[in-house]
Amino acid sequence: MASSEGASMAHHTIGLIGAGFMAATHAAAWAQLGAEIVVWSPRSAQSFASQHGVAAADSFEDLLHRATIVDIASPTPHHAEQIRAAISADLPIVCEKPVARTTDVARDLVLSAEAAGIPLLPAHVVRYMDAYARAHAAVASGALGRVSRATFTREAATPAGGTWFDDDAASGGILMDFLIHDFDQARWMFGEVQRVEATQHPATEGGIVPALVEARVELTHVGGAVTNVVGRWGPPETEFRTTFRIDGDAGEFDHDLSVEPHKGDAYRAQLSDFADAITDGAPARVTAADGLAAVRIAEAAHRSAASGTPVGLI
């Protein structure tokens, strides 16, 4: 079904890479925007295509040949090689977060895309969620006054075992794959981060049985604001929940997902914004530089948690 939201997708074919949850989420949003979709994954392209009513590419090369936009929704370890291939094919790129597992690789990808004149748009979808966008607007307008402190929390069930998530070097674990959303929000709302201090450890339930992984990160911003980010991966029955609170000297802003669910389709809004950027050259709400900055903060949090000492970024 075509949509009047954003740029016309009638002449675009989305080359979707991946066949997991995020690929399905992106496929649904692109379909709502009226785009044609062709999918490729090493093992599941045909079954995904049948399930979601899209076409399947015969190979990665076939996908690049048929696509006008590449959407990378594959596991993080594959992002770099797939971004480089799309750049070589002169195709604009949407990539699920994080752009890459390390700052050095992410920086190289961003610079390569920039040199080639290729849009590289990292899918930090939280920027398109209503409560977060309203909070950003309140901070930017000065409605809250000078912000001194903010807290973001995020919790969900621990990712299923036996997957690439289990390899911290591949996924980045809770700090890179999960809390990167909140690192991006903190920088978007309160400015550049100059100091990161983090801890990560298995927590306990009743002091006996390890029940979840918990990470706590303190970000100090150049302007003096301090953001605390708390993430938890719990047992399978854990419900997804996010909260945040922003304290300014002229007001405050609170949000709790369990009380105020996200309104609208943030994924559709995100991809519509990206389509405008690609088709019309309009500025996107999130840029390649933002994706790189988020990876840099997450990697600093890893270093701080491992060393037990703060890490400076500026």
Side-chain angles (χ1 to χ4, degrees), residues 12-30:
H12 279 294
T13 298
I14 307 304
L16 181 62
I17 304 173
F21 173 79
M22 289 312 307
T25 302
H26 282 218
W30 283 121

Side-chain angles (χ1 to χ4, degrees), residues 90-117:
D90 199 29
L91 292 170
I93 304 153
V94 174
C95 183
E96 258 305 323
K97 56 77 195 165
V99 171
R101 172 61 180 81
T102 69
T103 301
D104 287 346
V105 173
R107 182 182 294 109
D108 178 69
L109 295 171
V110 169
L111 292 175
S112 295
E114 182 179 320

